Amino acid sequence: MSASSVIPSTVNADLQKERDGASFNSEEFAAWWAGGAEQLKFKRGIKEYMFKDVDFAALNQVDYLSHEDMCEFAVKNSINVAKKLRQLQAERNPGGNEYWPTLYDSPELWGLHKVGNPFTVMFVMVIHALKDQCTPEQYEEFGKRVERFEVSVAYAQTELGHGTYLRGLETRADYDRETDEFVLNTPTITAYKWWPGGLGQCSNYSIVMAQLYIDGELKGPHLFYVQVREEDTHEPRPGVHIGEIGKKMGFLAVNNGFLGMKNVRIPRTRMLMRHAKVNRDGTYVKSPADALTYFAMVRTRCIIARNMSLILAVAATIGTRYSAVRRQSPIDPKLPEPQILDHVTQQLKVIPEIAASLAYRNACDYLLELFDATSRDKDQGRYERLPELHSLSCALKVLCSSDAAAGIERLRLACGGHGYLTSANLGNIYVNATAACTYEGENTVLLLQIGRFLMKSWRAAQSGAPLAPTVSYLAEVQRNPEFGVWTGSWENLVKAMQFAAANKTRIAFNNLAKRLANGQSEEVAANQTGIELTQAAELHGRAFVFHSFLTEVTGAKSKKRSSALNRVLEQLLELYLVNVTLNNMNNILRVVALTDADLNKLQSRLETALTKLRPDAVAIVDGFDFADEQLNSTLGSYDGNAYERIFDAAMSAPLNQKSVPKSFHEHLGPFMKSNL
């Protein structure tokens, strides 16, 4: 804060009133949200250490830099964060890794990476991919160097002409028996690797996904470890064409890059060969399960889903606090302007996003547990859970990213014109969420992959074969096609969503079978059934979120929480189930015989849930425990002094450092005088 800052040191009276009137202990909520009191203490300790002595006023000036300067700043800043985190590790537990590098891009440090971290992909994906795909000897040779940050490595999969459809990738790696090397080429401009984070100017190595050819015979996509720049000079290696793809809507300084290769040779042992192998004589050993090649992507999708649930919670915190301090539009003309959170329409914009962030974070906790269990199984040579994990990771990645993007935009609009300010940070949060709708699997393509899993599961249910737990409801629907009586209970709402998903799965299955019977190929028939497949996939994902949220709130874990916290969580569950049910009523009415009175009752329940949650909204988002440095928003600070912070941010903008801009003397003034 500058010496001339207008920001008071007191908390906004309206925001303090909200906290004083809460019906539960926000600290208990924070401990539950963090995963326990010890975890909450741990996370707060990280933030206190890492945010100490950071000049956030100067950090925010990065918004006004050129693209080149912004990218240079991001590298310098990210390395400084790494140094500080490494220092924290050395001070608190030398030789451990719970701080460095584990937390390098954790939500606790988001506020420090103002315009992105070009090394995020290396620590979120590359290291895990190497651990999962390398033989022990390979990881010892080059994997540990990456872990120690002795080199900087990107993950180059997507191409200019191909993304999620991996079998269409054009980059090729031909095995040369004579030299015991792979020869990598990007034969066309569309084969250029495009989009990898950190690749542009920050990486000197890359994991490259390429089509493996042996004696001209295609073996499918495999992973290769390729040096792209010299370690000492950072100059591109011979045959390597590398650079940055240019400015984007968001992730402004993540240094996304392109990579072209012409006859780039690497040793045979630089193909990642834990699962599939190429021997010295050129014989090929196939992976025991094709999905193992993409296991690192599955983990990344799990992390994306979790981060999207958290980024929605960040936006909900900003929108809720601002809605409590903004006063506008009298409800009763005889009274002063109320807090806009008192308007029911504002409550509908804001509070359901709080509930959604809880529902998705909880679902992602289950997903990460399933990932860990599947990973342990995989290490024991058991691959039965892989299809379910892949399907569920796709479903939550799709729903969390798409619903977060839509929810953040609703929250931005709920903040009126001030939500449009860069200093509000809602625009930056929004473009980061929209990016997640396409990276690591474009959402529609992922829905189609889930659709294929549902088709196999429906066929299995018909034959009485065992089903994965998350699709077990398909068998129940086939045993009992009549939904039964509508009661409106929470369990009944979950069943309704499951039956809607099953019904859409049945329709897609029957239409797919009909097209196949009429002589269409599987590919053409699947394409023609694509809309129904994606609709079934979305409903399947929503049914899972419903079930997991209900289990968390009403299951055994509730006994460890106070009655006051349970009451708030039950109200959030009620709001989420009712709101999403109403938004999907077109599909539910096809399987459940609701009357007009039933629908009116659901609408009343929605309004009642909003009314009950209104007094606790600020305390709930306080329980998310985001520091101001994480929110980085003039509208969402803990003290609620939004107007003063907006004004202060404007006063610190470069254009306001001079009373008269240069353009007046050079252009505006002379032009106006020329008309005299």
Side-chain angles (χ1 to χ4, degrees):
M1 191 187 304
S2 65
S4 58
S5 173
V6 298
I7 303 171
S9 57
T10 53
V11 174
N12 178 280
D14 282 331
L15 207 53
Q16 190 60 52
K17 179 193 72 174
E18 297 290 328
R19 290 175 177 135
D20 293 340
S23 71
F24 69 102
N25 186 333
S26 201
E27 276 292 293
E28 185 189 357
F29 185 103
W32 168 76
W33 177 257
E38 282 303 309
Q39 269 296 101
L40 178 62
K41 181 180 178 182
F42 177 74
K43 291 180 178 183
R44 285 178 172 173
I46 294 162
K47 290 185 280 192
E48 181 183 3
Y49 186 96
M50 294 300 294
F51 295 153
K52 183 176 57 181
D53 302 325
V54 176
D55 186 349
F56 282 94
L59 190 62
N60 286 331
Q61 292 302 303
V62 71
D63 288 322
Y64 297 101
L65 297 178
S66 69
H67 180 57
E68 180 180 4
D69 289 342
M70 196 177 282
C71 288
E72 292 288 342
F73 169 85
V75 174
K76 175 185 175 183
N77 181 70
S78 297
I79 295 302
N80 285 339
V81 172
K83 289 177 180 177
K84 195 169 185 178
L85 196 57
R86 189 182 275 175
Q87 179 183 332
L88 175 61
Q89 183 70 63
E91 289 179 11
R92 297 192 179 174
N93 185 20
N97 66 358
E98 69 273 38
Y99 298 102
W100 169 260
T102 302
L103 300 177
Y104 191 28
D105 200 62
S106 68
E108 286 71 39
L109 303 191
W110 279 350
L112 294 173
H113 302 290
K114 170 70 176 173
V115 286
N117 178 356
F119 309 105
T120 291
V121 172
M122 182 163 71
F123 286 97
V124 169
M125 189 172 189
V126 169
I127 291 173
H128 295 279
L130 290 171
K131 285 180 177 178
D132 187 66
Q133 301 293 327
C134 285
T135 65
E137 296 77 16
Q138 287 178 318
Y139 197 77
E140 189 67 31
E141 179 192 351
F142 52 81
K144 286 191 174 178
R145 296 192 71 208
V146 185
E147 198 174 338
R148 293 191 294 263
F149 209 162
E150 294 175 10
V151 292
S152 177
V153 187
Y155 189 97
Q157 177 174 292
T158 298
E159 296 174 357
L160 186 56
H162 281 93
T164 309
Y165 180 60
L166 301 185
R167 282 179 289 173
L169 297 178
E170 297 177 79
T171 301
R172 58 185 293 156
D174 289 82
Y175 181 55
D176 184 345
R177 274 192 184 81
E178 291 186 10
T179 62
D180 194 25
E181 293 175 318
F182 290 108
V183 185
L184 284 90
N185 280 281
T186 45
T188 65
I189 194 167
T190 52
Y192 263 62
K193 295 299 180 183
W194 202 269
W195 281 111
L199 176 66
Q201 294 176 326
C202 295
S203 299
N204 48 13
Y205 286 83
S206 180
I207 294 178
V208 174
M209 185 168 282
Q211 302 288 4
L212 169 62
Y213 285 85
I214 301 176
D215 298 329
E217 183 180 344
L218 175 63
K219 300 297 184 182
H222 290 69
L223 297 172
F224 301 84
Y225 187 70
V226 183
Q227 185 173 359
V228 293
R229 290 179 181 271
E230 302 291 353
E231 289 194 26
D232 51 352
T233 65
H234 210 59
E235 288 289 341
R237 295 269 292 167
V240 172
H241 185 204
I242 191 170
E244 212 255 2
I245 65 172
K247 199 168 183 179
K248 310 167 295 293
M249 287 174 60
F251 288 97
L252 297 175
V254 171
N255 201 233
N256 299 84
F258 64 78
L259 173 65
M261 293 173 289
K262 186 173 182 180
N263 296 326
V264 173
R265 290 179 170 269
I266 62 171
R268 177 178 54 85
T269 54
R270 291 301 173 94
M271 172 178 151
L272 308 190
M273 288 200 272
R274 181 175 180 181
H275 304 298
K277 297 177 176 64
V278 176
N279 293 320
R280 176 67 181 88
D281 62 1
T283 54
Y284 174 68
V285 181
K286 183 177 170 60
S287 170
D290 289 339
L292 293 175
T293 306
Y294 321 124
F295 198 69
M297 289 177 59
V298 173
R299 180 188 182 278
T300 303
R301 284 174 189 153
C302 296
I303 299 301
I304 292 169
R306 184 209 64 186
N307 285 352
M308 288 302 103
S309 70
L310 294 177
I311 204 172
L312 179 59
V314 167
T317 301
I318 295 169
T320 302
R321 286 176 177 169
Y322 182 69
S323 296
V325 301
R326 176 79 171 184
R327 288 180 171 271
Q328 192 164 300
S329 304
I331 297 171
D332 183 341
K334 298 176 184 176
L335 297 175
E337 288 185 307
Q339 297 161 278
I340 59 174
L341 196 53
D342 288 337
H343 292 274
V344 175
T345 50
Q346 185 75 0
Q347 293 168 19
L348 184 61
K349 293 175 186 176
V350 173
I351 302 176
E353 306 309 333
I354 300 175
S357 62
L358 259 76
Y360 281 135
R361 220 299 293 277
N362 174 72
C364 289
D365 285 348
Y366 177 94
L367 173 63
L368 288 165
E369 288 175 9
L370 177 61
F371 176 87
D372 290 340
T374 307
S375 185
R376 289 191 295 270
D377 284 355
K378 175 183 66 68
D379 292 340
Q380 299 297 319
R382 300 195 301 269
Y383 310 119
E384 296 83 6
R385 295 199 216 204
L386 279 172
E388 181 182 31
L389 173 64
H390 175 257
S391 174
L392 191 58
S393 69
C394 288
L396 287 181
K397 187 271 183 185
V398 169
L399 290 180
C400 289
S401 60
S402 58
D403 283 6
I408 293 163
E409 176 63 357
R410 274 191 289 273
L411 289 160
R412 185 188 69 79
L413 292 171
C415 292
H418 293 328
Y420 199 66
L421 286 166
T422 296
S423 68
N425 201 31
L426 288 166
N428 184 52
I429 293 170
Y430 172 70
V431 293
N432 287 354
T434 57
C437 293
T438 47
Y439 64 62
E440 291 310 316
E442 192 276 332
N443 279 2
T444 301
V445 176
L446 295 186
L447 287 170
L448 289 169
Q449 292 180 16
I450 302 163
R452 285 197 288 274
F453 173 72
L454 292 175
M455 295 302 97
K456 292 177 183 177
S457 299
W458 185 264
R459 189 178 296 112
Q462 285 182 325
S463 67
L467 295 175
T470 52
V471 286
S472 59
Y473 66 89
L474 296 178
E476 181 185 345
V477 168
Q478 291 191 13
R479 288 193 304 269
N480 178 24
E482 297 299 322
F483 176 79
V485 179
W486 169 260
T487 66
S489 70
W490 292 336
E491 293 80 3
N492 196 235
L493 293 175
V494 174
K495 288 286 186 191
M497 188 62 75
Q498 289 176 337
F499 266 68
N503 184 56
K504 191 60 86 168
T505 300
R506 177 187 62 82
I507 293 169
F509 184 88
N510 290 342
N511 287 340
L512 181 64
K514 190 184 301 180
R515 291 179 171 115
L516 290 170
N518 289 337
Q520 291 185 0
S521 68
E522 286 191 27
E523 295 78 10
V524 171
N527 177 56
Q528 293 297 319
T529 317
I531 294 173
E532 290 149 331
L533 289 171
T534 57
Q535 290 171 341
E538 181 183 333
L539 289 168
H540 167 66
R542 296 202 183 283
F544 171 75
V545 176
F546 267 35
H547 182 268
S548 62
F549 199 13
L550 176 66
T551 302
E552 168 64 32
V553 172
T554 64
K557 294 179 182 177
S558 64
K559 295 180 175 60
K560 299 178 181 178
R561 301 187 293 253
S562 71
S563 58
L565 178 56
N566 277 327
R567 185 174 61 252
V568 170
L569 294 179
E570 288 166 2
Q571 289 167 356
L572 288 163
L573 172 68
E574 161 80 353
L575 175 61
Y576 182 77
L577 293 180
V578 170
N579 188 46
V580 178
T581 295
L582 285 169
N583 290 339
N584 288 273
M585 192 53 68
N586 60 321
N587 287 303
I588 291 172
L589 283 172
R590 299 179 73 167
V591 293
V592 186
L594 279 87
T595 65
D596 192 56
D598 292 328
L599 293 171
N600 286 334
K601 189 173 181 181
L602 278 174
Q603 179 66 27
S604 296
R605 285 172 64 179
L606 173 74
E607 293 162 5
T608 300
L610 292 172
T611 299
K612 287 182 177 179
L613 285 164
R614 158 66 187 88
D616 285 326
V618 168
I620 294 169
V621 298
D622 282 355
F624 290 151
D625 205 51
F626 294 118
D628 285 353
E629 292 84 355
Q630 289 171 281
L631 302 174
N632 195 30
S633 172
T634 52
L635 306 187
S637 64
Y638 185 83
D639 63 22
N641 294 312
Y643 300 133
E644 293 86 353
R645 289 182 180 277
I646 291 170
F647 192 88
D648 194 69
M651 289 300 95
S652 65
L655 281 177
N656 287 320
Q657 306 314 303
K658 296 178 182 178
S659 59
V660 179
K662 184 170 65 173
S663 60
F664 175 82
H665 298 294
E666 294 183 358
H667 304 288
L668 179 59
F671 178 78
M672 291 190 293
K673 289 180 180 178
S674 70
N675 292 326
L676 295 176

